[in-house]
Amino acid sequence: MTSTTSATGDDRISKIVEPRIIKTEEQYRSYLAEIQKLSAQDPKLDSVEGGRLELLAKLVEDYEKARFMFRKPDPVDAILFRMEQQGLRQKDIAPLLGGRNRASEVLSRKRALTLPMIRALHEKLDIPPALLIREPRGEYRVRKHPRRRSRRATPA
């Protein structure tokens, strides 16, 4: 990864270690440092330095994807995040979810999103449908047994 130069008179020979798949934090940091140096030179894409920069960037990207994996947010978290970004309140998105009561139920994870809700959230708030279709982390509260009406004996 490091480059060494030895000078013999006016003759300079440069030895560059070929990049390899990143397996350690030390390699990762070393490649990042070299990327920074190469980026400062702003090499042409078809040059040797440009090719090396592209290769190092790809190796670093692959390492970061494997090492720093992020979970996708559940639908409610995605909605709440977008609301915060855009400075929206629950009443602002109520029309998208079918009213204030429905908005409250969805945001408190008591009701699942329906297809029309997902479409509206995607169109108006630009939330990717793939995030909205996922199952939420929390469980919806569903009654196990429906309420039974008490039957009173009617006087005959």
Side-chain angles (χ1 to χ4, degrees):
M1 180 64 275
T2 59
S3 62
T4 57
T5 57
S6 61
T8 319
D10 293 338
D11 197 11
R12 291 186 178 207
I13 301 171
S14 177
K15 291 183 180 178
I16 299 176
V17 177
E18 290 300 316
R20 297 180 181 261
I21 294 173
I22 302 172
K23 296 180 182 172
T24 66
E25 185 73 21
E26 183 181 335
Q27 284 177 312
Y28 172 69
R29 292 191 186 283
S30 173
Y31 284 22
L32 282 178
E34 187 169 351
I35 287 172
Q36 190 172 16
K37 288 177 188 175
L38 287 171
S39 295
Q41 297 173 5
D42 194 23
K44 293 185 178 183
L45 291 176
D46 58 351
S47 68
V48 174
E49 292 83 10
R52 185 169 180 84
L53 177 60
E54 186 177 22
L55 176 61
L56 290 171
K58 178 64 176 156
L59 290 170
V60 166
E61 178 186 9
D62 291 348
Y63 178 78
E64 288 174 343
K65 280 183 182 176
R67 172 111 165 142
F68 308 113
M69 294 187 343
F70 295 101
R71 276 190 338 195
K72 291 181 181 175
D74 79 330
V76 174
D77 289 340
I79 295 168
L80 293 171
F81 177 74
R82 188 54 50 100
M83 287 171 61
E84 183 180 326
Q85 274 187 325
Q86 296 183 0
L88 301 173
R89 295 183 305 194
Q90 184 174 316
K91 74 175 192 173
D92 299 324
I93 67 160
L96 305 176
L97 301 176
R100 290 172 59 183
N101 291 338
R102 288 267 164 85
S104 176
E105 291 170 345
V106 167
L107 295 177
S108 64
R109 295 180 167 83
K110 292 180 184 176
R111 179 182 291 271
L113 290 169
T114 63
L115 190 55
M117 290 176 188
I118 291 170
R119 283 187 185 127
L121 289 165
H122 171 63
E123 290 172 7
K124 302 294 182 187
L125 301 181
D126 201 31
I127 300 173
L131 289 179
L132 298 171
I133 293 171
R134 299 184 59 206
E135 286 295 321
R137 272 196 314 257
E139 294 182 21
Y140 295 110
R141 298 178 193 149
V142 178
R143 291 187 189 129
K144 291 183 180 180
H145 302 286
R147 281 188 175 173
R148 295 183 184 179
R149 293 184 182 173
S150 61
R151 297 184 187 189
R152 295 184 182 168
T154 54

